[in-house]
Amino acid sequence: MHRRGGKRIRMDDPPPEYVNPMTPATPMTDYGGQSVHEPETPNYSNFNVGAVVNSTATEAPREDPEEPAEPAEEEPRSPSPAPTKRITRSRGRGGDGGYVGRLAESPPPPPLRRRGRGGRGRGRGRGAAPPPAYSPPPVLLPGDDENSLYNILRFNKTAINQVVDMWIEEYKTNRESALVQLMQFFINSSGCRGKVTPDMAQMDHTLIIKKMTQEFDEESGEYPLIMTGQTWKKFRSNFCEFIQTLVKMCQYSIIYDQYLMDNIISLLTGLSDSQVRAFRHTATLAVMKLMTALVDVALLTSVNCDNCLRQYEAERLKARDKRASERLEVLVAKRQELEENMEEIKNMLSYMFKSVFVHRYRDTLPDIRAITMAEIGIWMEKFPAHFLDDLYLKYIGWTLHDKIGEVRLRCLQALQPLYECEELKGKLELFTSKFKDRIVSMALDKETEVAVHAVKLVIAILKMHPDVLTDKDCEMVYELVYSSWRTVAAAAGEFLNVRLFRADAEAEPAPVRSRRGKLRPRNAPLVRDLVQFFIESELHEHGAYLVDSLIESNPMMKDWECMTDLLLEEAGPTEEALDNRQESSLIELMVCCVRQASTGEPPVGRGASRKHHQVLSKEQAKVVSDDRARMTAHFMATLPALLDKFGADPEKLTNLICIPQYFDLDLYTSQRQEANLTLLLNKLRDIVCVQTEAEVLDTCARTLDALCAQAGPVYTRCNVARATVTDMCVNRYKEAIDEYRSLLEGGEIPDADEVFNVTNSLRKISIMYTCHNMNDTNIWDSMFEDLPKCLKQNETQMPTQALVYVLRALFYSLLWSLHELEERGAGAGGAGAGGAGAGGVAALRERLHAYCAHCRDIVGQGNAPALREEAYTSICDLLIFFSEHLATLHHPGEPAVRSLVFEPDNELCDLLNDFIQEFVFVQQNYDGQDERRIEELHKRRNLLAAYCKLIVYNVTPIRRAADVFKHYIKCYNDYGDIIKATVSKAREINKLNCALTMELAMQALFNEMMARHTAPHRQLPELLELKELAKRFSVMFGLDAVKNREALTALHRAGVSFAALEHCAAAPGAAPPRRLLFLEPLAEFSGKLLRQDKRHVLKFLESKFSPAPQWGEEWAPLAAYRASLLTDAPDDRPPPARRYARRHRGQNDEEEGDDNAESDQEVPG
């Protein structure tokens, strides 16, 4: 194929398609007619040129890639014409030949593909099924020679060096016999059991390969290189080591004897171009390792040649009377011999590169492509004088576009050590300019490991060529610090360190002082840059991810002194003061650093899954402990000052108050810092007293809870402070509510201040109740008085938000009471032990039922949506806490606890169901209000999850989920994951009830459709939605039809009964019932029935609908449903016409099983 119109194709054009191993690549010719990618015949003699050299030149391009429908059985095809056994040096030097290609040339064009025989891959590894997860260990079969090289390495009997020594001795004695052994080794290593006889060794290598192909195991797709298990993994290692050791131990004479290497290279070159994947894979690996070993020999030869030249020059420069003429002659002869050997090795390398690598780097098998890329990287690193050239680099550049992640990874790994070597900078400039964009874009690769190595390579490029990367390139990598993949983010963090956060070691920065003359820490400029980067990234809610990306690689992330110095010290005359936004960002980043350094846990989404909790190693735990101690020691002294300075800013205050939650409290006593603890507790008390922001108060409550840990050394002091805070909140509430109620009783209207005082005090009460037990303050009755005000008929001027806080505080009061009973019961031998325990249970039961009664009224008749939502959430959670599990699982055998069980009645279940239909499954328009839409969606998802938990924990019957399941398709984007998880859990509880609930959900949708359309038809959108719902439900039953027999049969019977309502089967010629269309979605479940169950359902169907000799169009749903039940029932339908079709040799029973298995796959949900 000639270039069209003389167009010059550039090196960075899109990559080529991969060569079909069954069809050698159609060559691309240069202007002179010589194939650009056809390997030249080098100045190296006695090679069997083999298939690769000439096959592409002689094969005509195919225009039609499709083969005939009935292909004739063909002989195993040799991929090349029969070459001569050897070619002489003179013949090798006779032709100049082509060349690999200049840098500006394009990759080879994609070949026209041809389908394999029979439409599927045959044995011999050609398109065969992948190997199983475990391959059996090797065994010695009858007829195998246990002393063959293959079996010795396979069973790992002898050391590799000893095996090579024995073979070399055999070679010196009888080289023909030793060569046969080596050829047999490569044939057996490919998985072929064919025997190479001494007579065959004299044959042409192409004929040997053809004969071995015929003797290959047709039925097996396995061969040693792809078989799994430790034994086969060891064999692969031994195989590679044997080749390299053989070359190493033969490097001084045997490899230059024009016999061994000629024959081995000829055989492996032919095998690497074979149609058989096993031959091709094994031979390619062997050739690549052979080239790597020859590269090592070339390096040693080059060193010896340099030493010889140096010795010669030293001897020549001696005085005439001291010069040894004989030594000069010896050195000249030795140098000439070394140069000839070097030339010989280069010829071997060039020949194998052009005969094997040029074709196999685009092979269809990813493993082969990965091998070529891994090895060429080794050659370039070891022998840059020969291989580090654009003629070779372009192959790596093209393969960066490979479709398989493993191959792309090998390319990046090959380039990494090259860019880390400063001496190679000049040779990589052109390659970098051509492929830099592709390398940078690979940082976004879908394969995590590829993306990590791409970022590391970009870092190496940045160090070698600082001016090559544009701002756009850098920004692409910058954004990866927020990636959900921790390894990718860490690599991007390292890029940030190199690009932005690196102090100049050469230039000592001028000292910067604060306003009062204090010297700024060395990391101060870097911390400022970090804050600015965080602000400019505009991802202000993800500071924890930025910190996680940098905390392991940059020490400034744990420089607490520097951060607090920037926050507390005023800016000096030579620096710019931090503005409000910069201060907020710095505080947020500092708190994120404190959290991760003291816990060692990455942010949500970057750590291990919940099922596999990450456990710190001893070294990691030691680092975390040290960091926590250092952080605590610093912030014990500085945190009160920070709270003083930023006490008026709620956002900054919220972050700062979090810090004590991560303290090592033992240090307060061991370092005699009780004064600072008292100061901190006083600050927290003042903040709770002054602040009104819910987020600040909630953080204070959690921090007090962390400080009051039972086993803590400062528990007594902190517990007193907590009691002081809670008493203060209760007293404020009592004062405010008494004043408010007195005004109402006197007929006066409370002003805004009185209303605010009540709301604010209730806010603090409800928030403190979440973390602290305040039942001893006896405010239940006072708050309970306000519950009737939540109803519409009892509307008052009390703010809605204040009533929400009342509901929430009473809810937590019930939970703390239950907690007290359980703790008291654990200490007294049972929750009901003693009269005090029984009295506590009775009081709790009375409060529980009274509170729930009010909540039921509020859910149905609340005067505000917020009140109804709070009451609904409280009821759902209380049903979980006080469910049957409380008595059966947590306190079995305790009758007093049994009386606390709170079970929903039908009226309550209906009330909760009506609520979610009104508040959750609604469509609201939020045009241009994305933030509000997301907030509302999050709230509705929580409401739905509260209801679904009742199903999952078996608190309410599964059938109550029918009105939720029916929204699965319509609300899939918003609630699909919640509904699907609920269905899955319901199936685990009871498959039968879950199936009937699915059918009820479909009935509900069908009835809604009937209510909207008086004359429904089969093309209604609502019916299509119902069929899609049935299809999704069907998929959820899985592939095990035996386990689901009862459930699926009951579902069909219920569906048929529903469709047959109002139909009289005995009346001949009766009109079809209105619900007959329901059989259309019901048919989606027929494929899950077993054959005998289909017959059972069919008989039930015929009992409801009498079979007619001919049904009209109005009975089409019944006919379609009946046909779905007749599938796989040969006694109820005529047998299909069987036509004889000859099976192709490559198609076996296992492949037919694969075909059948494909039809059983689940429909994606």
Side-chain angles (χ1 to χ4, degrees):
M1 183 185 295
H2 294 273
R3 290 178 178 167
R4 298 179 183 175
K7 180 182 177 182
R8 194 163 181 80
I9 305 175
R10 301 184 61 81
M11 177 181 176
D12 52 356
D13 278 346
E17 293 292 335
Y18 310 123
V19 175
N20 189 333
M22 310 272 294
T23 306
T26 303
M28 180 177 180
T29 57
D30 201 354
Y31 294 109
Q34 172 68 34
S35 173
V36 173
H37 292 277
E38 178 185 349
E40 67 178 356
T41 306
N43 296 332
Y44 181 63
S45 66
N46 298 328
F47 279 152
N48 179 352
V49 186
V52 182
V53 180
N54 297 317
S55 63
T56 58
T58 59
E59 181 174 340
R62 300 178 181 84
E63 295 297 326
D64 183 10
E66 300 289 334
E67 68 171 18
E70 292 290 334
E73 192 72 16
E74 55 179 308
E75 291 290 328
R77 180 173 59 85
S78 172
S80 63
T84 57
K85 179 65 184 285
R86 296 162 64 88
I87 58 175
T88 63
R89 266 182 214 275
S90 59
R91 289 185 60 189
R93 294 192 181 104
D96 186 22
Y99 50 92
V100 178
R102 299 184 181 89
L103 184 65
E105 290 170 354
S106 69
L112 295 173
R113 298 180 178 270
R114 188 179 72 173
R115 288 184 178 176
R117 289 170 280 183
R120 294 176 72 86
R122 300 176 54 185
R124 310 178 183 173
R126 288 175 289 176
Y134 174 76
S135 302
V139 293
L140 202 62
L141 300 177
D144 288 351
D145 181 9
E146 64 176 344
N147 294 321
S148 66
L149 292 174
Y150 170 68
N151 285 320
I152 291 174
L153 295 182
R154 185 169 63 147
F155 293 104
N156 201 23
K157 293 181 177 180
T158 314
I160 302 294
N161 288 341
Q162 188 176 349
V163 175
V164 174
D165 278 335
M166 291 189 297
W167 183 88
I168 291 176
E169 291 300 324
E170 175 70 17
Y171 185 82
K172 292 178 179 178
T173 305
N174 187 343
R175 68 179 188 178
E176 287 79 9
S177 173
L179 180 63
V180 169
Q181 291 182 27
L182 200 55
M183 294 172 67
Q184 185 69 59
F185 168 69
F186 289 120
I187 295 297
N188 290 153
S189 298
S190 302
C192 176
R193 300 193 63 203
K195 299 295 183 183
V196 180
T197 63
D199 294 336
M200 291 172 59
Q202 305 302 319
M203 296 167 53
D204 180 79
H205 289 161
T206 304
L207 299 178
I208 296 176
I209 296 171
K210 182 176 181 180
K211 184 171 179 59
M212 293 298 104
T213 302
Q214 293 172 343
E215 296 183 11
F216 209 97
D217 181 8
E218 287 285 338
E219 300 301 326
S220 173
E222 291 191 350
Y223 51 95
L225 291 189
I226 66 170
M227 295 175 76
T228 55
Q230 192 62 33
T231 306
W232 297 111
K233 183 179 180 181
K234 181 64 177 175
F235 170 77
R236 179 185 174 112
S237 173
N238 287 343
F239 177 82
C240 301
E241 185 181 352
F242 173 79
I243 295 173
Q244 293 178 299
T245 306
L246 179 64
V247 174
K248 180 180 179 181
M249 299 181 70
C250 297
Q251 63 178 316
Y252 295 109
S253 59
I254 297 179
I255 64 173
Y256 305 112
D257 67 358
Q258 300 181 15
Y259 180 78
L260 173 65
M261 298 302 291
D262 295 9
N263 284 279
I264 293 305
I265 293 176
S266 173
L267 174 67
L268 294 177
T269 301
L271 288 173
S272 70
D273 196 44
S274 172
Q275 303 172 15
V276 182
R277 183 179 70 177
F279 280 152
R280 200 170 66 254
H281 188 179
T282 307
T284 303
L285 177 61
V287 171
M288 296 299 104
K289 293 299 178 182
L290 188 62
M291 292 182 67
T292 301
L294 287 175
V295 165
D296 292 333
V297 175
L299 289 175
L300 183 59
T301 305
S302 176
V303 171
N304 291 337
C305 191
D306 292 340
N307 291 338
C308 184
L309 178 60
R310 192 161 49 250
Q311 292 173 7
Y312 173 80
E313 291 296 331
E315 188 69 27
R316 188 176 62 84
L317 294 176
K318 289 182 181 179
R320 183 180 297 271
D321 55 342
K322 296 182 180 181
R323 186 186 308 163
S325 302
E326 297 80 2
R327 178 168 173 75
L328 286 176
E329 293 175 2
V330 170
L331 290 173
V332 169
K334 183 179 178 181
R335 179 187 172 195
Q336 185 176 359
E337 180 185 359
L338 290 172
E339 289 177 347
E340 289 180 357
N341 290 346
M342 177 63 95
E343 187 66 24
E344 192 86 358
I345 293 172
K346 287 183 178 180
N347 286 338
M348 293 184 204
L349 292 173
S350 297
Y351 179 83
M352 286 187 283
F353 185 86
K354 297 168 185 176
S355 301
V356 179
F357 182 93
V358 168
H359 296 285
R360 296 282 70 81
Y361 90 97
R362 33 201 297 263
D363 194 278
T364 53
L365 188 65
D367 289 346
I368 293 179
R369 303 199 299 273
I371 289 170
T372 58
M373 290 300 110
E375 296 302 317
I376 195 175
I378 295 174
W379 309 334
M380 290 177 176
E381 182 181 4
K382 289 185 174 181
F383 200 8
H386 180 75
F387 283 103
L388 193 56
D389 186 86
D390 295 322
L391 298 176
Y392 299 98
L393 279 168
K394 65 181 181 182
Y395 293 104
I396 298 182
W398 290 337
T399 314
L400 288 172
H401 297 268
D402 197 279
K403 299 176 183 177
I404 304 300
E406 179 68 18
V407 182
R408 299 194 298 273
L409 178 63
R410 298 299 178 204
C411 295
L412 295 172
Q413 290 174 337
L415 293 171
Q416 186 75 33
L418 304 180
Y419 277 98
E420 291 175 353
C421 183
E422 189 66 27
E423 291 77 11
L424 306 179
K425 179 177 180 179
K427 293 189 174 184
L428 291 169
E429 287 184 354
L430 182 57
F431 176 84
T432 305
S433 65
K434 293 293 183 182
F435 293 103
K436 179 260 300 180
D437 292 340
R438 171 58 185 162
I439 294 172
V440 172
S441 68
M442 290 177 75
L444 304 177
D445 198 281
K446 63 180 181 180
E447 301 285 345
T448 307
E449 195 172 359
V450 175
V452 170
H453 279 80
V455 175
K456 291 181 178 178
L457 186 57
V458 172
I459 295 173
I461 293 175
L462 176 64
K463 292 179 179 178
M464 180 176 280
H465 304 284
D467 300 329
V468 168
L469 296 179
T470 63
D471 291 341
K472 185 177 180 181
D473 296 333
C474 295
E475 289 171 3
M476 187 181 299
V477 183
Y478 291 163
E479 295 173 356
L480 293 177
V481 294
Y482 298 103
S483 170
S484 58
W485 298 105
R486 195 179 189 197
T487 51
V488 177
E494 185 61 38
F495 179 83
L496 273 182
N497 292 332
V498 175
R499 176 78 176 182
L500 298 178
F501 307 140
R502 182 178 61 178
D504 193 350
E506 298 179 358
E508 186 68 24
V512 179
R513 297 183 180 274
S514 64
R515 184 175 180 180
R516 64 188 185 95
K518 182 182 177 182
L519 187 66
R520 290 290 190 188
R522 183 180 179 85
N523 285 328
L526 301 182
V527 174
R528 283 176 172 270
D529 292 340
L530 174 66
V531 171
Q532 193 61 32
F533 174 83
F534 180 54
I535 292 173
E536 292 177 358
S537 65
E538 298 180 354
L539 293 170
H540 304 149
E541 297 178 359
H542 299 85
Y545 295 90
L546 174 60
V547 168
D548 182 55
S549 303
L550 295 168
I551 196 166
E552 299 293 339
S553 58
N554 200 320
M556 74 170 174
M557 306 304 292
K558 298 178 184 178
D559 192 349
W560 322 118
E561 293 81 0
C562 178
M563 296 179 185
T564 53
D565 183 78
L566 286 173
L567 290 170
L568 293 174
E569 295 289 336
E570 295 184 12
T574 60
E575 61 179 348
E576 185 178 352
L578 296 176
D579 59 23
N580 182 60
R581 190 176 181 187
Q582 289 173 330
E583 287 178 341
S584 298
S585 299
L586 177 54
I587 291 174
E588 181 179 352
L589 291 175
M590 180 177 70
V591 172
C592 292
C593 292
V594 167
R595 181 185 299 114
Q596 185 154 350
S598 60
T599 62
E601 297 177 359
V604 177
R606 280 201 183 162
S609 62
R610 293 182 180 178
K611 295 182 180 179
H612 307 285
H613 183 68
Q614 185 178 7
V615 179
L616 299 178
S617 64
K618 289 184 178 180
E619 294 77 9
Q620 291 173 328
K622 179 67 167 58
V623 172
V624 169
S625 177
D626 293 343
D627 289 340
R628 187 181 184 192
R630 195 166 57 85
M631 179 272 297
T632 305
H634 173 74
F635 280 103
M636 280 191 304
T638 57
L639 184 59
L642 289 170
L643 295 177
D644 264 342
K645 181 173 182 180
F646 301 106
D649 191 323
E651 180 185 359
K652 298 172 185 174
L653 203 56
T654 302
N655 281 318
L656 290 172
I657 299 172
C658 286
I659 295 178
Q661 298 177 21
Y662 308 102
F663 277 0
D664 183 357
L665 299 179
D666 293 341
L667 296 181
Y668 271 115
T669 54
S670 62
Q671 296 188 6
R672 301 182 181 277
Q673 295 288 329
E674 290 86 353
N676 281 325
L677 176 61
T678 303
L679 188 58
L680 174 63
L681 293 174
N682 291 337
K683 293 293 180 187
L684 292 177
R685 183 197 61 206
D686 295 342
I687 291 172
V688 174
C689 179
V690 174
Q691 288 292 328
T692 60
E693 293 288 335
E695 194 172 0
V696 176
L697 296 172
D698 182 65
T699 307
C700 281
R702 295 179 187 277
T703 299
L704 274 174
D705 184 51
L707 293 173
C708 294
Q710 288 285 350
V714 293
Y715 170 73
T716 304
R717 190 187 299 262
C718 295
N719 193 38
V720 170
R722 174 172 62 179
T724 303
V725 171
T726 54
D727 289 345
M728 177 189 67
C729 294
V730 171
N731 292 334
R732 290 281 183 91
Y733 162 71
K734 289 179 178 180
E735 294 173 3
I737 198 68
D738 288 345
E739 184 178 358
Y740 180 84
R741 288 172 180 168
S742 62
L743 289 173
L744 291 179
E745 290 173 0
E748 300 182 31
I749 299 176
D751 60 14
D753 289 339
E754 279 88 9
V755 172
F756 172 79
N757 290 336
V758 171
T759 304
N760 188 39
S761 60
L762 281 170
R763 179 189 296 115
K764 294 179 180 179
I765 291 288
S766 65
I767 290 175
M768 296 304 291
Y769 243 130
T770 59
C771 298
H772 308 284
N773 185 0
M774 298 170 61
N775 284 345
D776 57 349
T777 57
N778 300 319
I779 57 173
W780 169 276
D781 295 333
S782 175
M783 291 190 295
F784 195 79
E785 285 183 29
D786 294 324
L787 280 186
K789 300 176 183 177
C790 299
L791 301 178
K792 292 181 179 178
Q793 61 267 30
N794 299 327
E795 289 188 24
T796 64
Q797 294 180 354
M798 195 165 186
T800 300
Q801 195 59 41
L803 294 174
V804 169
Y805 293 140
V806 169
L807 278 169
R808 194 173 300 165
L810 293 175
F811 167 78
Y812 282 109
S813 177
L814 291 173
L815 294 189
W816 279 114
S817 298
L818 177 62
H819 178 68
E820 282 181 315
L821 279 177
E822 289 180 330
E823 281 195 336
R824 193 183 309 149
V841 169
L844 175 57
R845 182 174 63 251
E846 180 182 353
R847 286 185 174 184
L848 172 65
H849 289 285
Y851 176 75
C852 289
H854 278 88
C855 285
R856 292 173 69 155
D857 295 338
I858 296 171
V859 171
Q861 305 173 19
N863 58 25
L867 288 171
R868 297 179 64 187
E869 291 169 3
E870 187 67 31
Y872 162 83
T873 305
S874 298
I875 287 182
C876 290
D877 289 343
L878 289 174
L879 286 172
I880 297 293
F881 282 110
F882 292 90
S883 67
E884 184 72 19
H885 300 306
L886 179 65
T888 58
L889 296 179
H890 304 297
H891 302 282
E894 298 180 17
V897 176
R898 165 70 62 178
S899 64
L900 287 176
V901 173
F902 175 43
E903 294 181 336
D905 53 20
N906 290 333
E907 183 182 353
L908 179 57
C909 291
D910 291 337
L911 180 67
L912 298 178
N913 183 33
D914 293 341
F915 177 86
I916 62 169
Q917 300 301 322
E918 179 183 353
F919 279 84
V920 176
F921 299 109
V922 291
Q923 299 294 333
Q924 297 183 1
N925 189 11
Y926 295 104
D927 290 340
Q929 303 178 24
D930 289 342
E931 289 187 7
R932 186 186 172 197
R933 179 182 62 81
I934 294 173
E935 289 176 2
E936 289 294 321
L937 176 60
H938 182 67
K939 182 177 69 175
R940 293 200 300 269
R941 283 174 60 87
N942 286 336
L943 296 175
L944 177 60
Y947 184 83
C948 290
K949 279 192 295 185
L950 302 179
I951 309 295
V952 169
Y953 287 100
N954 209 13
V955 174
T956 58
I958 295 178
R959 68 175 184 274
R960 290 290 179 176
D963 285 338
V964 175
F965 291 176
K966 71 180 183 181
H967 295 284
Y968 184 50
I969 298 298
K970 187 180 298 182
C971 302
Y972 183 80
N973 291 334
D974 293 340
Y975 316 117
D977 55 336
I978 299 176
I979 299 175
K980 187 175 182 179
T982 306
V983 174
S984 177
K985 291 295 184 181
R987 286 188 66 247
E988 293 178 9
I989 296 171
N990 191 307
K991 290 183 173 63
L992 177 61
N993 289 344
C994 181
L996 293 177
T997 303
M998 291 178 178
E999 198 271 340
L1000 283 176
M1002 295 165 57
Q1003 286 186 21
L1005 274 183
F1006 188 84
N1007 288 332
E1008 291 176 6
M1009 179 189 74
M1010 296 289 290
R1012 282 195 292 267
H1013 303 278
T1014 55
H1017 55 84
R1018 303 177 69 183
Q1019 300 303 321
L1020 277 177
E1022 290 89 344
L1023 185 62
L1024 297 178
E1025 178 189 333
L1026 183 55
K1027 291 178 68 175
E1028 180 64 23
L1029 178 64
K1031 186 182 298 184
R1032 300 285 182 94
F1033 283 163
S1034 173
V1035 169
M1036 293 179 187
F1037 281 99
L1039 298 175
D1040 193 343
V1042 176
K1043 289 184 178 179
N1044 298 309
R1045 286 188 65 183
E1046 182 184 6
L1048 285 166
T1049 305
L1051 185 147
H1052 278 274
R1053 290 173 64 92
V1056 171
S1057 299
F1058 176 75
L1061 288 175
E1062 303 175 1
H1063 175 67
C1064 181
R1074 295 181 67 246
R1075 295 181 176 86
L1076 188 67
L1077 269 177
F1078 188 75
L1079 295 178
E1080 289 257 347
L1082 190 62
E1084 298 290 342
F1085 295 92
S1086 299
K1088 297 292 182 179
L1089 288 171
L1090 295 177
R1091 181 176 299 184
Q1092 56 268 37
D1093 294 335
K1094 288 184 178 181
R1095 294 173 182 168
H1096 173 75
V1097 173
L1098 184 60
K1099 290 179 182 178
F1100 182 77
L1101 177 71
E1102 291 174 350
S1103 69
K1104 296 291 184 180
F1105 298 93
S1106 301
Q1110 188 172 4
W1111 279 316
E1113 179 64 26
E1114 65 274 12
W1115 292 91
L1118 177 59
Y1121 180 62
R1122 189 173 187 277
S1124 69
L1125 295 175
L1126 289 174
T1127 307
D1128 294 331
D1131 52 343
D1132 290 333
R1133 60 187 175 93
R1138 298 182 63 85
R1139 298 178 182 176
Y1140 173 75
R1142 183 169 63 88
R1143 179 187 293 178
H1144 300 295
R1145 243 178 23 155
Q1147 185 175 356
N1148 52 30
D1149 294 337
E1150 182 181 351
E1151 291 170 344
E1152 291 179 352
D1154 292 342
D1155 290 338
N1156 293 333
E1158 290 173 2
S1159 64
D1160 292 334
Q1161 297 300 315
E1162 294 186 5
V1163 179

